Amino acid sequence: MEKMRYPTAMVLGFGLLLGLSGSVYSHDPVFSPGPHVLFKEGIEVHTELYRSDRGDKAENETAIAFKYGLTGNWVAGVALPYQYLKEGSERNGGVGDITFSTKYRFWRQDALGTQESMAVLFKVKPDTASSDGVPSTGTGTTDALAGLTYGYESLKWYRWASARYRRNGRSDIGFQRGDTFLVDLAGGIRLTPPDYWKPDTVWLLELNGEISQRAELDGRELANSRGQEWFISPGLMWTVRNFAVKAGVQLPVVNNLNGDQNESDYRAVLEFEWHR
């Protein structure tokens, strides 16, 4: 019998990996969500370093997150950030608000060497950081986010799309940040054929849009609020079996903000993930 050609064997092997484990080569973009979930009783420990510069304002954040696979299509997680904020000569650091999240993959279609899927996601951020005697950088509000995401992956190509809406709560002093609509398109390419036993690199390019509504104080709209920003975001994912490193930078290409608002200069993120 003629031996199986290498490309055919590689495709079959990749398809088998996709079918047996959703976390082997399944990835999400850096700055936007994808439909990837954990396998049942799977565990993910996630650490993120984030930096944002906006005029004379700078934000540094370190967050640790834990996710658990409730089923093969449903994952739940919790994240706790520590933030260091700088605005002019003022500096403030402390614990941020805890975020609870969940994602449910409701559609998945596998073919030879490819996989497509869609998921819904939900996050809620209660006002957990506001406690007496504990330095914090919380917003003082309870916020919620809901969204829909799509992903396609193959031996070489990736593509994603997502839409999310964040509803911001009202603080005790009557201040409410404007709700935000987020839309994302992303693509990725793997230049070297994957090998489960060797490091794997996927190069990414994202388009991220943020469209915010006008903020309010005691029911009165604030002039220096509302608008939209769009970013081009190059990045990469580097994985070795169940360990992954993700990095990227957001560069603004459209700034259309009302009134006197600082425009974004850049945002950068470095993430480390471990799955079990």
Side-chain angles (χ1 to χ4, degrees):
M1 179 182 295
E2 183 181 356
K3 292 184 178 180
M4 183 181 295
R5 295 179 182 271
Y6 171 71
T8 303
M10 181 179 62
V11 170
L12 289 174
F14 185 73
L16 181 61
L17 288 174
L18 285 175
L20 293 179
S21 173
S23 64
V24 176
Y25 283 110
S26 297
H27 300 293
D28 286 345
V30 177
F31 292 102
S32 55
H36 167 56
V37 293
L38 296 171
F39 53 90
K40 184 178 181 180
E41 299 181 352
I43 293 173
E44 176 186 314
V45 179
H46 180 109
T47 302
E48 176 180 297
L49 306 175
Y50 173 82
R51 167 80 180 191
S52 171
D53 270 24
R54 180 189 292 268
D56 64 346
K57 298 181 180 180
E59 176 184 347
N60 292 282
E61 178 179 296
T62 301
I64 184 167
F66 173 85
K67 296 180 180 180
Y68 180 76
L70 300 172
T71 70
N73 293 305
W74 186 18
V75 64
V78 58
L80 176 65
Y82 182 90
Q83 298 170 320
Y84 178 77
L85 310 177
K86 176 180 176 294
E87 182 173 358
S89 60
E90 297 184 5
R91 291 170 171 79
N92 181 32
V95 177
D97 294 312
I98 295 175
T99 298
F100 301 95
S101 64
T102 187
K103 185 192 298 185
Y104 179 73
R105 181 175 62 189
F106 62 89
W107 177 76
R108 169 177 167 176
Q109 180 172 295
D110 296 339
L112 189 59
T114 67
Q115 182 182 104
E116 292 182 272
S117 56
M118 297 182 69
V120 291
L121 59 95
F122 180 77
K123 292 184 179 181
V124 61
K125 183 196 70 59
D127 180 21
T128 58
S130 300
S131 58
D132 295 336
V134 179
S136 70
T137 56
T139 62
T141 61
T142 295
D143 309 329
L145 178 146
L148 176 69
T149 178
Y150 161 84
Y152 166 91
E153 59 183 292
S154 68
L155 285 168
K156 186 173 184 178
W157 297 102
Y158 287 79
R159 59 176 180 263
W160 300 270
S162 64
R164 294 166 287 162
Y165 187 82
R166 187 177 70 224
R167 174 67 176 174
N168 296 317
R170 188 180 301 272
S171 70
D172 292 339
I173 62 172
F175 176 69
Q176 183 173 11
R177 293 168 293 126
D179 294 349
T180 304
F181 179 67
L182 303 106
V183 59
D184 310 281
L185 297 172
I189 183 172
R190 175 185 286 109
L191 299 176
T192 303
D195 186 328
Y196 178 71
W197 304 105
K198 296 180 181 180
D200 177 58
T201 303
V202 177
W203 299 94
L204 303 172
L205 186 63
E206 300 182 46
L207 175 65
N208 312 115
E210 301 178 3
I211 304 168
S212 60
Q213 300 179 10
R214 198 178 298 274
E216 295 182 356
L217 180 62
D218 290 331
R220 298 190 298 264
E221 294 186 346
L222 302 180
N224 297 325
S225 62
R226 196 173 184 177
Q228 58 180 298
E229 291 186 301
W230 291 83
F231 302 86
I232 289 291
S233 311
L236 65 87
M237 297 181 289
W238 183 86
T239 59
V240 179
R241 301 186 67 180
N242 60 339
F243 177 76
V245 179
K246 299 166 67 175
V249 59
Q250 282 189 318
L251 305 172
V253 291
V254 174
N255 282 298
N256 184 15
L257 302 175
N258 294 342
D260 184 16
Q261 300 184 68
N262 288 324
E263 298 179 349
S264 295
D265 296 319
Y266 75 91
R267 301 170 184 171
V269 69
L270 176 64
E271 303 177 0
F272 303 91
E273 295 181 3
W274 175 81
H275 299 82
R276 183 189 69 80

